[in-house]
Amino acid sequence: MDINTVAQNEIISVIVYTFVAFLLMALVLILFFYFSRKKIVQQEVEKRNLEVQYQKTLLHSVLVTQEEERKRIAQDLHDDISSKLNIVSLNSHLLTTPNLTEEEIAEISTNIINLSSKVLSNSRRLAHDLLPPVLEKFGLHAGVKELCLEFNSSKAVAVKYENHIEFDIDENQKHLHVFRILQELMNNSLRHGKSTEISISFEKENNANYCKYSDNGIGFDIHKLENQRGLGMKSIESRISFLNGSININSQIEKGTQIVFNF
């Protein structure tokens, strides 16, 4: 075999080996991309499942909260308003009793007037809880301002409120969630946190609306599951989700609570 033939055979061998090497590399790359893609798809599916589960949890919390609110309203209607109206009805029938003295008529009439006034006051309070008239007519700023005045009037807590945002009254439906979040936070600060001072401020940063909330209460351990899973906290998270916002909570025992959420 001459030198040319040997050289040709070596070239052919090199070409074959190179081709086989490229095939193996291509196969390895294909397998790598296949399994990588499969893993990415699996991760995406798991992520989507977690998101669906989270949305289901939030929806469940909303339904539970709504059911609790309905029960409270039904209880108020039955135990308070309905019972007083029954007494008004009975007193009204008493007025038809023959031979009543002027003193008896005056006493019965006074009872009717007093009870009717209480029913009217309670029905207004119930309507205010469902949808604050000030919020509906004048927007979020006016609604929160009135809410702060109500808490301040209790003398149990001092609320400081600042607003640096012009709210669009046409977005009241969305802003109602913000109002309810603050209502829940303030109730928690007063009832559970034993707070004497609350601070609320609205600020605009990077084209997003932010609410900064803090109190000087006893605080809580945010890592405890019972604090994370409380009905109030789930309700707040569900409202934040509806607002396409996010919330950051910082609290320590005896160091109060600081909360920032955007909407």
Side-chain angles (χ1 to χ4, degrees), residues 7-72:
Q8 289 178 353
N9 289 337
E10 289 179 352
I11 292 172
I12 292 172
S13 297
V14 169
I15 293 173
V16 171
Y17 288 137
T18 303
F19 180 72
V20 172
F22 274 117
L23 282 177
L24 290 173
M25 288 178 62
L27 180 62
V28 169
L29 287 173
I30 290 171
L31 291 174
F32 173 77
F33 284 116
Y34 171 76
F35 286 108
S36 296
R37 179 61 182 168
K38 185 178 180 181
K39 187 176 181 180
I40 291 172
V41 170
Q42 185 177 0
Q43 290 175 342
E44 287 294 326
V45 170
E46 291 176 355
K47 181 181 178 182
R48 187 60 57 86
N49 287 337
L50 287 174
E51 290 176 352
V52 169
Q53 185 61 39
Y54 178 69
Q55 292 298 328
K56 285 182 178 179
T57 303
L58 288 180
L59 179 59
H60 174 73
S61 301
V62 172
L63 293 175
V64 171
T65 303
Q66 288 178 342
E67 190 61 30
E68 290 295 324
E69 187 68 10
R70 290 191 184 101
K71 287 180 181 179
R72 185 187 66 79

Side-chain angles (χ1 to χ4, degrees), residues 124-139:
R124 284 174 177 169
R125 175 186 57 79
L126 196 58
H128 183 277
D129 289 342
L130 290 172
L131 182 60
V134 172
L135 175 67
E136 184 181 18
K137 292 180 180 178
F138 303 108

Side-chain angles (χ1 to χ4, degrees), residues 76-89 91 110-128:
D76 285 348
L77 287 172
H78 180 270
D79 295 346
D80 194 355
I81 296 176
S82 179
S83 62
K84 284 182 173 61
L85 286 175
N86 282 332
I87 298 174
V88 169
S89 177
N91 277 272
T110 300
N111 287 337
I112 292 174
I113 292 171
N114 290 337
L115 287 169
S116 299
S117 178
K118 289 180 181 179
V119 168
L120 182 60
S121 176
N122 291 337
S123 63
R124 284 174 177 169
R125 175 186 57 79
L126 196 58
H128 183 277

Side-chain angles (χ1 to χ4, degrees), residues 139-149 161 179 182 200 202:
L140 180 60
H141 171 62
V144 174
K145 189 175 181 180
E146 183 184 56
L147 180 65
C148 293
L149 288 173
Y161 170 56
F179 181 87
L182 287 174
I200 302 169
F202 288 117

Side-chain angles (χ1 to χ4, degrees), residues 177-212:
H177 290 294
V178 179
F179 181 87
R180 293 302 186 204
I181 291 170
L182 287 174
Q183 207 172 29
E184 185 71 35
L185 291 176
M186 294 171 77
N187 284 325
N188 288 342
S189 292
L190 195 60
R191 295 174 185 172
H192 308 299
K194 312 301 181 185
S195 305
T196 57
E197 295 178 4
I198 293 175
S199 176
I200 302 169
S201 68
F202 288 117
E203 300 175 11
K204 185 177 284 291
E205 298 177 9
N206 299 323
N207 295 322
N209 295 330
Y210 283 85
C211 179
K212 298 181 180 179

